[in-house]
Amino acid sequence: VRMYKDHGERRLAGELARAMVRIAHPSWIGEAPTLVAVPATGKALRRRGFDHMDEVARELSAILGIAVARPFAPPRSLDQRRLGGRDRIGNMKGRFSVLPGADAPERVLLIDDVYTTGATLFDATDALLAAGTRQVRCLTYARVW
């Protein structure tokens, strides 16, 4: 994940997507969800020059044949990597919002690279549900304990 998002190894987007397909529960795909990637912060986007999970979402879309939506405004938060569990939750609380006028897909497969405390996925899910999404399933490439 570090090589991909922090060292610009963009060809790894497909590798992450293929690994995520192998662990996605088949019933989730059968529900014909819309893929939504957790967006990078503006600062991370400027630093990297690309939104790493947006590229993984496009790869997943091509493999699975399901649509991608980009309903989120970029979150404003600190880099989570140096924060402890309690600080991560506080850092992400209320940080995600759906863009005005964006359609909230009925069923979403929300993707991110790493699940640590769940703070990012929980807040992104809350924003989608508040916008009218009825079901959110979350899928990450890695889990950090």
Side-chain angles (χ1 to χ4, degrees):
V1 170
R2 276 193 213 144
M3 288 303 294
Y4 170 52
K5 72 182 194 180
D6 294 331
H7 297 284
E9 292 292 336
R10 294 171 80 167
R11 62 190 161 80
L12 293 174
E15 295 300 319
L16 268 67
R18 284 185 284 284
M20 292 171 82
V21 165
R22 288 191 297 272
I23 61 171
H25 197 282
S27 69
W28 294 7
I29 307 309
E31 295 167 348
T34 300
L35 281 168
V36 173
V38 168
T41 63
K43 184 177 179 179
L45 189 57
R46 288 187 297 279
R47 183 178 69 246
R48 292 184 191 122
F50 69 106
D51 187 325
H52 67 294
M53 288 313 296
D54 187 57
E55 292 194 9
V56 172
R58 282 188 269 142
E59 294 282 342
L60 277 169
S61 174
I63 295 167
L64 298 172
I66 57 179
V68 176
R70 293 168 187 82
F72 289 121
R76 291 189 194 117
S77 60
L78 299 173
D79 188 330
Q80 296 276 86
R81 291 177 284 188
R82 290 190 175 88
L83 301 176
R86 187 168 286 140
D87 291 333
R88 284 173 177 256
I89 293 167
N91 184 46
M92 294 311 296
K93 190 71 179 156
R95 298 298 181 182
F96 287 97
S97 62
V98 172
L99 293 164
D103 289 328
E106 184 175 337
R107 285 180 299 283
V108 166
L109 181 56
L110 181 63
I111 63 166
D112 201 5
D113 55 352
V114 178
Y115 178 104
T116 305
T117 63
T120 300
L121 292 171
F122 292 144
D123 198 67
T125 295
D126 287 346
L128 288 166
L129 294 173
T133 295
R134 293 179 49 151
Q135 178 186 68
V136 179
R137 307 259 192 211
C138 298
L139 179 64
T140 63
Y141 173 77
R143 170 70 164 110
V144 175
W145 300 98

